[in-house]
Amino acid sequence: MIDQYFTSPKVIERKRVGPLRPYGDRFAALLSERGYARKTIRCQLLLVEKLSKWLHRRRLGVQDLNEKIVDKFLQISIRPYSFRRGDVATTRLLLEHFRDSGVIPALVQKVDDSEWGRIARDYGQYLQQEQGLSPATLKNRLPEVKRFITGRFGKGPILLRALCPADTNRFLLQCTPVYSQSRVKLAITALRSFFRYLYLRGDIA
């Protein structure tokens, strides 16, 4: 799968160094399934390559991976001027992928009692119980809705009644440079579903 994003055999071989080398193809496939643009996937795979080499130099294995180790890597290994906002999201997705695959232990789930946490739980129950959607579909839709809500309200109160079409247009325009066409469609589907849910609840007109 990696060879679809890097054509040089030397470059491809270089990416198979360190404890993460057996998992590169599967992670690349996951990124493709999530609808990331080709250029974005290349950047994400380069970051995983750096992480794998960093672990190798410190004699750490994939079983040692957790949020603390990954954050230390980002702080030490990635120079400030080259640090991208998506790096944290990429490493979190990698950890999620490893946990879903049973490569590293699952996290003990903590109840998110924040305003967004309550909205996400209620919306997730609606999707599963009323719409009959699978947990995998929730994993695709909820992050898009969370990005939209976070981008609109930041750390302030979530005022659902204040949402308007211009918010959606602004969000999708921001996504277009880094999303593939299929992922833009996923984001539109997620937001349409979320708005339908809010309408049924009477939260929006």
Side-chain angles (χ1 to χ4, degrees):
M1 189 74 184
I2 287 180
D3 56 7
Q4 295 182 19
Y5 302 98
F6 302 95
T7 55
S8 169
K10 290 184 178 180
V11 172
I12 294 172
E13 187 61 28
R14 195 179 68 216
K15 302 197 173 316
R16 303 188 186 279
V17 174
L20 305 186
R21 65 183 182 277
Y23 309 99
D25 288 336
R26 278 182 282 174
F27 187 57
L30 173 67
L31 295 173
S32 178
E33 290 169 7
R34 292 287 180 97
Y36 286 99
R38 182 181 179 85
K39 181 179 178 181
T40 303
I41 293 178
R42 283 173 58 90
C43 291
Q44 291 169 312
L45 293 177
L46 286 170
L47 180 67
V48 173
E49 175 198 350
K50 290 180 181 178
L51 174 59
S52 187
K53 291 179 178 178
W54 185 84
L55 292 170
H56 179 70
R57 289 195 300 269
R58 284 157 181 77
R59 298 183 180 179
L60 296 173
V62 64
Q63 71 280 357
D64 297 306
L65 276 179
N66 54 40
E67 281 75 8
K68 185 177 179 180
I69 290 292
V70 165
D71 289 345
K72 185 176 181 181
F73 157 73
L74 291 173
Q75 292 167 9
I76 294 175
S77 183
I78 307 297
R79 289 174 289 186
Y81 63 81
S82 64
F83 188 88
R84 296 174 299 109
R85 184 173 57 180
D87 289 347
V88 174
T90 298
T91 54
R92 292 300 184 265
L93 181 58
L94 181 68
L95 291 174
E96 176 189 318
H97 170 60
F98 283 156
R99 286 176 175 133
D100 288 346
S101 304
V103 176
I104 60 177
L107 280 177
V108 177
Q109 294 295 325
K110 296 181 180 179
V111 176
D112 182 358
D113 202 34
S114 66
E115 194 172 9
W116 162 251
R118 293 190 294 273
I119 292 172
R121 279 198 303 276
D122 292 343
Y123 176 51
Q125 289 175 359
Y126 162 78
L127 291 179
Q128 288 185 294
Q129 297 173 7
E130 301 296 330
Q131 301 293 312
L133 300 183
S134 67
T137 303
L138 264 66
K139 280 194 173 184
N140 283 332
R141 289 193 181 180
L142 280 174
E144 299 303 331
V145 176
K146 184 177 182 180
R147 289 188 188 96
F148 169 72
I149 292 294
T150 302
R152 173 62 177 82
F153 299 108
K155 296 182 179 179
I158 299 176
L159 306 175
L160 296 174
R161 290 186 180 276
L163 293 172
C164 65
D167 298 325
T168 307
N169 294 337
R170 189 180 306 110
F171 172 75
L172 293 174
L173 286 173
Q174 291 171 347
C175 292
T176 300
V178 295
Y179 280 17
S180 66
Q181 186 176 2
S182 62
R183 195 173 180 202
V184 170
K185 290 181 179 179
L186 170 63
I188 292 172
T189 300
L191 292 181
R192 183 182 293 123
S193 169
F194 183 62
F195 293 146
R196 185 181 300 117
Y197 161 75
L198 294 180
Y199 174 75
L200 292 174
R201 281 171 49 103
D203 291 326
I204 60 174

